[in-house]
Amino acid sequence: MMEEIKRLTEVADKCINCGFCESVCPTYAPAEFISSFSARGRMLIGKELSKEIAVGKRISKDVSDYYYSCLGCNACLQVCPAKINAGEVSDLVRKLVVEGKTSESKQRKMIAEMIVHTTMKYNNPLGLKKELALWARGLSFFDDSPILFYTGGMYQMMPYSQTLSDLQIRFGSFFSSAMARLFNRFLFAIKVSKLLGKKSEVDKYNSTLKDIYTLLSNSGVKLSYLWEDEPYPGTFINDLGYTQEFKSYASRVTELFKSKGIREIVVVDPHTYQLMKYEYPKVVPEFDLKVTYYLDKLDRGILKRRAGSVTYHEPCLIARGIENYEIPFEILNSVAKVKLPRRNGKNTSCCGGPDGLLFPSIAKKISEERSRELKREKSDRIVSLCPICISHLGVNVEITDLSTFLIEATNH
Amino acid sequence: MGVIDELKHAVKGHILTKEEELLPYKTDASYFSGSKPMAVLLPSDVSEVSNILKICNREGINVISRGGGTSLTGSATVLTNSIVLAMTRMNRIIHISSEDRYAIVEPGVRIDDLNYELSEIGFMYPPDPGSSIAATVGGSISTNAGGLRGVMYGSTKEWVLGLQVVLSDGTVIETGGRVLKRSAGYDLTALFVGSEGTLGIITLATLKITPLPERIGRVIAFYDSIERAGAATAIIKKSGLTPITAEFMDKVSLDSISKNMGLSFSDSGNSDYMLIVDIASTDESLNRHLEKALSLIKGTGPRSVRIIYDETEIRNITNSRKGLYSSILSERDREGQYAVMGDIVVPPSTLSNALLDIRNLVGKYGFKVALFGHIGDGNIHANIIVNPSDAKEMERVSALMNELGRIALINGGSVSAEHGIGLEKKRLLRMEMEYKESSRNIELMTSIKAVFDKKGILNRGKLL
Ligand SMILES: Cc1cc2nc3c(=O)[nH]c(=O)nc-3n(C[C@H](O)[C@H](O)[C@H](O)COP(=O)(O)OP(=O)(O)OC[C@H]3O[C@@H](n4cnc5c(N)ncnc54)[C@H](O)[C@@H]3O)c2cc1C
Ligand code: SF4
Ligand code: SF4
């Protein structure tokens, strides 16, 4: 804990209050231009908190919403003259909240605990199991291969979490707290969530996974798969600041992989990649599995250039999270004419997705704004490669997963 | 109904009163720490602003308007018994006319956002402070902001055609308008430019716009002598050529760029000063103009000079100049340090002398100081790394600023080029007027303030 406070002080002390970060922080305008819901506010409040906690005070004010609403998108870091990151401050404060150093919103706490609790118990935040492997029915894998096709359940969960956040917007806080209470106290209520996935949406995401599988299989990669035993990577637990729980969960997942003889994990979404590649090694001392993004395994020889233009929504984790990961853009650029939206590359905009469950109305407005920007390019198609981006932007704009776009390119 | 409730009603609920919500509004990018406001109001239109001012005028509550909160002089810093009027919700671009060359925008529009929209139709709004990503139209008008393109386009005052302003008693007035010419009495528009929210609240601005240049090329030069570097821009201007930007950096700046951004120059020969001159021209004449600039600069005796054609090198230099402030900040080596920014201007023909005097002055104080600036219009910045909470250090900074201001005045310039007065330069403003034997100007300004704001509720304690 001392380490977190020390780091918080060190970061916040460098802030010169220039406000550059506020102008690019995606949560600022959707939260009605309240500075505390922007990078600058998070940094300045963090500075104040660090001072108070350092002298042993427990913060009675509830500042937790400012930090839980941070998307971790790192847009602020890109423009900060002092090269500090309000996203990191949010991470640190979330940890302090979980440790009980500051008070927090009851309703949000319930949802957060529900997510952590369910994941710890079911290896999946929504309690999905059978639903995870439906997409792979009829496909063949190489059971003995040490290279694992690892979906992390991210694509499969999208239809369910989208419906949950829609319901939250419609029924407001009553729904979320009631739901959270239900989940926590009566775990059988998990079944409720399973009924929430719309069939058409379930089919859409399952078909994307099939496209990724096909690309790899056509590239000659031999993969194993864990079917219903596939665990969730634990992204939420980490993001919500539950350090201890994440540590034990990540160890469990790693052990499971090892027990199955896995040496390399091929991941299909940027969130899982970021977590496995950079966070797992920090908390699992013996973590020695190779983590690969599926595009790195692709045989580019199978792709052909296609007609028409495409606007690329680059996910924050690809542009800013994974150092210099330009492969998706390179591949896309090699098969089509790419038009970039105003905010692109290192300055790309978050889709709002990470706020979907806890702050659905902020998430919705971010998605609407970004969708407007993407449509403005008037391309034939809009493409991205993160299930959360696809799900959130997909409400406002027609958006295709890169894998599907590439499959079409192989068939041209 | 209590005043806060009344204000809440006036702004349809968009009011912040919780301590933790108020905290980020205490101060701006200056080193002043500020006080917590009584409330922050986030109006969405002119009628809300008018209603708020009626209430505050009646109650004698100080109103601090705030745009991006990027002021470096404390002009948006909160003093006691104040409310903050945060203008960022009023951020619509109402209309752009490329035929009549104007844009009508709300005050909360950020300068970069406006320029993005304009660039889509081949136009621009030239004032471009280094803070343009966050600075708003309202805030930059109120500080008469300058920027990198000032040498060709001047500062904000040249680009404001008209304003809608809410006066302290809630009255709404329009000044100027959509035309380039107007000979109709006192120029009230000009009066509001640079007034730092002390005369009224800007709720709409009609801005002049201009086509983007067809091509821009660059010449860079390295000097061992500050006087020679200082002479170059005046000589270029005298020849009839007007650069679109002309920037200057000293060795502290260059070293911090090379350390923090990895940019170094093989031809710099460890020189102490760098000059960057950008020429805007047409496709046909760009090369001719660049060659002319090159030969003029050669005549000033640099260690080396060259035209840059390589796009990547041009981009890298631009990024490092833009990131200079950031690089300098990385030089902080103690907790609580800030970069206090000196901002003076002299006629370019006097730069040689002025820069030499400034370099000697800075050496005398022994602070870590980076000298750089928009040298094309004679604007020099001195970034001093200090700890604002160290009273002794700040006393010496204040003495340094005084002497810096005096150098500007002796050379026929001003103590404030583009950052305004705020809290920081009130004393220097008086010094300037005294120097010009025009202390009457302060009396005139005080009288003007009283006419516009009888009760003194608009950004009390700033500027004057
Ligand atoms: C890193 C950095 C670089 C900078 N570079 C430059 C530069 O190159 N050139 C330059 O000129 N400046 C520069 N500045 C200073 C500053 O950014 C500018 O003065 C800017 O124009 C202020 O705009 P703002 O919207 O942030 O205004 P704020 O800081 O919010 O306010 C400034 C003043 O304007 C008033 N104001 C704001 N909105 C209104 C309104 N609607 N009606 C009436 N009054 C209002 C405020 O009360 C205050 O007095 C820099 C600042 C930083 C932090
Ligand atoms: S990480 Fe993103 S959401 Fe969080 S403070 Fe930075 S810009 Fe805002
Ligand atoms: S951009 Fe960096 S220095 Fe500026 S206010 Fe944000 S965190 Fe502070």
Side-chain angles (χ1 to χ4, degrees):
Chain A
M1 188 48 43
M2 279 319 289
E3 239 171 64
E4 271 126 27
I5 296 167
K6 201 172 138 218
R7 178 70 188 149
L8 182 62
T9 312
E10 192 185 332
V11 174
D13 193 55
K14 290 207 173 97
C15 172
I16 51 143
N17 198 2
C18 67
F20 288 14
C21 55
E22 183 172 278
S23 71
V24 299
C25 178
T27 53
Y28 175 56
E32 302 294 349
F33 299 88
I34 297 173
S35 189
S36 313
F37 280 97
S38 82
R40 178 192 224 164
R42 290 178 184 121
M43 187 60 78
L44 296 174
I45 295 171
K47 195 175 200 168
E48 209 65 21
L49 289 179
S50 71
K51 280 189 211 152
E52 297 192 13
I53 297 174
V55 294
K57 276 195 196 166
R58 183 184 181 277
I59 312 296
S60 56
K61 295 202 177 48
D62 179 12
V63 294
S64 59
D65 276 355
Y66 310 141
Y67 296 100
Y68 278 92
S69 58
C70 167
L71 302 155
C73 71
N74 288 357
C76 47
L77 174 62
Q78 294 307 309
V79 299
C80 174
K83 302 194 183 92
I84 48 176
N85 182 353
E88 185 190 353
V89 166
S90 298
D91 273 347
L92 292 166
V93 176
R94 284 194 291 248
K95 284 178 185 154
L96 295 174
V97 169
V98 173
E99 295 283 330
K101 292 282 171 193
T102 89
S103 62
E104 60 178 315
S105 136
K106 278 207 186 81
Q107 178 206 329
R108 209 224 44 255
K109 184 176 174 184
M110 258 190 264
I111 302 180
E113 289 196 338
M114 159 194 106
I115 292 169
V116 174
H117 193 103
T118 321
T119 312
M120 298 299 281
K121 187 157 172 90
Y122 290 96
N123 277 0
N124 181 282
L126 299 178
L128 304 182
K129 196 168 171 74
K130 259 201 232 116
E131 296 79 355
L132 290 178
L134 283 180
W135 73 273
R137 263 199 311 215
L139 302 180
S140 53
F141 290 90
F142 296 82
D143 290 347
D144 296 337
S145 170
I147 310 174
L148 179 72
F149 186 86
Y150 180 49
T151 73
M154 293 293 277
Y155 276 93
Q156 300 91 316
M157 279 193 303
M158 285 306 121
Y160 304 89
S161 41
Q162 187 59 51
T163 324
L164 276 172
S165 71
D166 285 351
L167 287 172
Q168 266 211 67
I169 292 178
R170 219 169 308 145
F171 298 111
S173 57
F174 167 73
F175 170 77
S176 25
S177 47
M179 197 69 187
R181 216 170 287 132
L182 214 68
F183 269 78
N184 272 350
R185 303 240 176 94
F186 313 102
L187 286 166
F188 62 80
I190 288 293
K191 289 201 182 72
V192 177
S193 84
K194 295 188 186 177
L195 299 174
L196 292 174
K198 261 197 235 139
K199 169 94 173 61
S200 57
E201 289 290 292
V202 171
D203 290 349
K204 183 176 109 184
Y205 289 100
N206 283 349
S207 142
T208 306
L209 285 172
K210 258 189 202 156
D211 288 339
I212 297 175
Y213 166 89
T214 309
L215 286 169
L216 290 176
S217 153
N218 291 352
S219 300
V221 189
K222 293 197 164 106
L223 299 156
S224 54
Y225 180 53
L226 293 180
W227 300 91
E228 289 179 19
D229 291 338
E230 185 181 66
Y232 172 68
T235 323
F236 266 135
I237 311 181
N238 184 49
D239 287 355
L240 293 170
Y242 287 77
T243 319
Q244 286 313 320
E245 287 82 351
F246 176 61
K247 211 171 165 169
S248 83
Y249 185 78
S251 302
R252 208 162 82 196
V253 172
T254 310
E255 266 165 39
L256 173 73
F257 288 156
K258 288 195 169 171
S259 73
K260 305 267 179 189
I262 307 298
R263 297 301 314 143
E264 180 177 0
I265 310 163
V266 177
V267 299
V268 300
D269 76 274
H271 291 266
T272 305
Y273 184 72
Q274 174 79 10
L275 193 79
M276 291 265 159
K277 180 122 182 149
Y278 299 103
E279 301 303 325
Y280 266 53
K282 285 188 208 157
V283 297
V284 184
E286 70 282 15
F287 190 84
D288 60 355
L289 299 169
K290 186 174 175 201
V291 181
T292 311
Y293 206 82
Y294 84 90
L295 290 169
D296 292 337
K297 293 243 172 234
L298 199 66
D299 172 4
R300 296 195 204 177
I302 64 173
L303 305 173
K304 297 191 193 88
R305 198 165 171 86
R306 44 182 293 172
S309 58
V310 56
T311 294
Y312 176 38
H313 165 75
E314 192 167 5
C316 338
L317 279 184
I318 295 285
R320 296 187 283 258
I322 303 165
E323 274 319 306
N324 291 328
Y325 196 62
E326 285 169 4
I327 306 286
F329 177 75
E330 261 176 48
I331 295 179
L332 191 59
N333 207 24
S334 72
V335 298
K337 177 176 187 297
V338 183
K339 289 195 203 168
L340 295 172
R342 176 182 174 189
R343 286 173 290 173
N344 64 63
K346 290 274 175 219
N347 296 315
T348 192
S349 161
C350 180
C351 66
D355 272 359
L357 273 179
L358 299 180
F359 301 89
S361 75
I362 292 183
K364 183 168 178 269
K365 288 185 196 159
I366 298 173
S367 160
E368 284 164 357
E369 176 59 26
R370 179 58 167 173
S371 300
R372 262 194 296 277
E373 208 170 283
L374 293 168
K375 279 190 215 162
R376 216 176 143 166
E377 297 308 313
K378 296 197 171 65
S379 293
D380 302 317
R381 299 285 284 275
I382 298 171
V383 163
S384 192
L385 66 148
C386 161
I388 298 181
C389 295
I390 305 261
S391 161
H392 267 263
L393 297 170
V395 177
N396 302 301
V397 75
E398 201 171 311
I399 183 160
T400 309
D401 193 90
L402 177 66
S403 59
T404 308
F405 192 78
L406 295 179
I407 286 283
E408 289 168 18
T410 57
N411 296 334
H412 260 244
Chain B
M1 204 177 352
V3 182
I4 295 291
D5 285 334
E6 231 186 309
L7 288 168
K8 185 174 178 179
H9 184 69
V11 77
K12 300 193 186 74
H14 289 274
I15 185 169
L16 313 177
T17 49
K18 280 196 246 157
E19 203 183 328
E20 59 274 22
E21 289 173 335
L22 301 177
L23 196 132
Y25 295 89
K26 274 168 69 177
T27 188
D28 44 32
S30 68
Y31 53 85
F32 297 100
S33 47
S35 312
K36 238 172 247 162
M38 290 158 57
V40 173
L41 300 162
L42 294 133
S44 69
D45 63 30
V46 59
S47 66
E48 290 183 12
V49 175
S50 167
N51 288 336
I52 293 165
L53 285 196
K54 278 179 197 154
I55 299 166
C56 290
N57 199 39
R58 191 192 69 213
E59 300 291 330
I61 299 170
N62 188 33
V63 178
I64 299 162
S65 43
R66 179 183 176 99
T70 66
S71 167
L72 290 167
T73 57
S75 54
T77 296
V78 177
L79 305 179
T80 49
N81 190 27
S82 305
I83 60 139
V84 167
L85 210 52
M87 305 302 287
T88 38
R89 264 184 88 213
M90 293 181 67
N91 69 345
R92 284 166 301 177
I93 295 175
I94 307 289
H95 181 59
I96 293 174
S97 167
S98 46
E99 300 93 318
D100 294 333
R101 298 207 170 166
Y102 66 78
I104 300 181
V105 303
E106 289 190 328
V109 172
R110 313 238 188 214
I111 298 175
D112 276 3
D113 290 338
L114 173 61
N115 267 324
Y116 177 76
E117 292 303 325
L118 291 170
S119 71
E120 294 276 284
I121 54 160
F123 277 75
M124 68 170 174
Y125 169 65
D128 62 339
S131 52
S132 58
I133 187 174
T136 62
V137 164
S140 57
I141 292 175
S142 304
T143 54
N144 190 14
L148 273 67
R149 297 190 285 235
V151 50
M152 178 171 270
Y153 298 104
S155 53
T156 302
K157 73 179 164 59
E158 318 285 347
W159 297 90
V160 185
L161 292 172
L163 295 171
Q164 180 189 65
V165 181
V166 180
L167 301 178
S168 60
D169 63 358
T171 313
V172 180
I173 59 161
E174 306 259 345
T175 72
R178 303 173 193 190
V179 285
L180 288 174
K181 286 177 157 182
R182 181 179 299 264
S183 177
Y186 297 136
D187 187 352
L188 294 179
T189 308
L191 193 54
F192 285 105
V193 178
S195 66
E196 300 185 21
T198 61
L199 300 181
I201 310 297
I202 299 164
T203 44
L204 207 61
T206 305
L207 306 170
K208 199 157 60 167
I209 58 173
T210 195
L212 281 164
E214 200 172 301
R215 292 276 311 276
I216 295 181
R218 177 167 294 171
V219 183
I220 59 165
F222 294 93
Y223 288 87
D224 292 326
S225 139
I226 198 167
E227 295 150 273
R228 286 168 192 263
T233 47
I235 287 171
I236 298 173
K237 284 171 101 173
K238 191 174 170 190
S239 78
L241 202 58
T242 308
I244 186 166
T245 63
E247 293 291 311
F248 158 87
M249 289 187 261
D250 73 349
K251 187 141 176 62
V252 177
S253 312
L254 284 169
D255 286 349
S256 83
I257 282 177
S258 123
K259 195 164 106 195
N260 296 296
M261 303 183 103
L263 187 74
S264 51
F265 302 90
S266 53
D267 50 347
S268 79
N270 210 22
S271 300
D272 286 334
Y273 308 98
M274 180 183 187
L275 185 69
I276 307 166
V277 175
D278 283 0
I279 304 289
S281 193
T282 58
D283 251 343
E284 296 76 25
S285 50
L286 182 66
N287 272 343
R288 185 165 51 83
H289 286 150
L290 284 173
E291 289 295 342
K292 184 172 171 183
L294 180 81
S295 106
L296 289 164
I297 294 174
K298 264 187 188 155
T300 59
R303 179 187 273 257
S304 70
V305 57
R306 66 186 160 103
I307 298 173
I308 312 185
Y309 294 101
D310 179 44
E311 297 274 330
T312 316
E313 192 178 7
I314 291 185
R315 204 172 35 248
N316 287 344
I317 296 176
T318 305
N319 289 345
S320 57
R321 168 58 190 94
K322 282 203 168 151
L324 176 59
Y325 189 57
S326 152
S327 303
I328 295 170
L329 282 177
S330 307
E331 301 289 311
R332 295 180 288 178
D333 49 15
R334 272 182 292 133
E335 259 180 37
Q337 282 187 325
Y338 251 66
V340 172
M341 216 199 271
D343 166 45
I344 60 156
V345 60
V346 297
S349 64
T350 66
L351 273 167
S352 261
N353 287 337
L355 280 170
L356 190 63
D357 290 347
I358 293 168
R359 198 198 59 190
N360 293 337
L361 169 73
V362 162
K364 194 172 88 185
Y365 278 86
F367 288 120
K368 183 173 247 179
V369 180
L371 282 184
F372 60 99
H374 318 307
I375 199 172
D377 54 25
N379 187 177
I380 307 156
H381 291 309
N383 258 15
I384 313 163
I385 308 265
V386 282
N387 184 348
S389 48
D390 182 331
K392 273 216 178 100
E393 242 180 29
M394 288 311 283
E395 235 170 68
R396 294 183 60 237
V397 169
S398 170
L400 194 162
M401 290 294 192
N402 245 355
E403 289 196 57
L404 191 63
R406 197 153 285 284
I407 294 174
L409 295 174
I410 289 167
N411 286 287
S414 173
V415 296
S416 176
E418 52 177 17
H419 296 165
I421 301 299
L423 288 170
E424 190 193 38
K425 289 195 174 159
K426 286 163 64 168
R427 191 175 33 80
L428 287 175
L429 178 68
R430 279 166 205 272
M431 180 174 104
E432 176 163 335
M433 298 311 164
E434 277 159 23
Y435 183 84
K436 290 181 178 164
E437 296 181 2
S438 299
S439 294
R440 191 70 211 284
N441 287 2
I442 299 285
E443 283 169 35
L444 287 173
M445 287 188 199
T446 310
S447 310
I448 290 170
K449 166 80 177 162
V451 169
F452 277 86
D453 180 20
K454 233 180 257 162
K455 286 194 165 178
I457 61 151
L458 293 175
N459 214 0
R460 193 185 293 150
K462 311 289 173 60
L463 204 152
L464 283 171

